[in-house]
Amino acid sequence: MLTIGKRLKKYREALGLSTTELANLSDVGQSTISSIENDNQSPRVETLERLCVPLNISIVDLLIDTDYGDLPPKILRILHSIKQLTSEEQEYLSHFLELVLERTKR
């Protein structure tokens, strides 16, 4: 089970951001981010909210452990991109992936 800090690090790395870059984008100190990621500090809700904005995630994504913990950063980036699609685009992509998966079963 991933901690909040480990989930934060996973999302940050999925976007290819350094702690310094995330600090600049979120107005949270780089040392604070490092402390959270290393589980040396329990973040305040306000801090988590500021960190979530540039990561394009909700605070729930940091607080609730998902099945995404073992996914490589490249796949996490794709999942983040999918979140940005309209519902119609997501439906189209879903249909496309189902077709691809059907073909691989043959």
Side-chain angles (χ1 to χ4, degrees), residues 79-91:
L79 291 174
H80 286 295
S81 297
I82 292 170
K83 282 182 169 182
Q84 301 307 307
L85 299 175
T86 65
S87 57
E88 183 179 327
E89 292 167 332
Q90 288 178 3
E91 185 64 32

Side-chain angles (χ1 to χ4, degrees), residues 5 9 13 19 23 29 37 42 45 47 50 52 59 61 64 72 87-88 92 95-96 101-102:
K9 184 175 183 177
E13 289 177 343
T19 54
E37 289 186 352
S42 295
V45 172
T47 302
R50 290 199 327 246
C52 287
I59 196 166
D61 293 319
I64 296 177
S87 57
E88 183 179 327
Y92 179 79
H95 181 68
F96 173 76
L101 291 172
E102 285 239 354

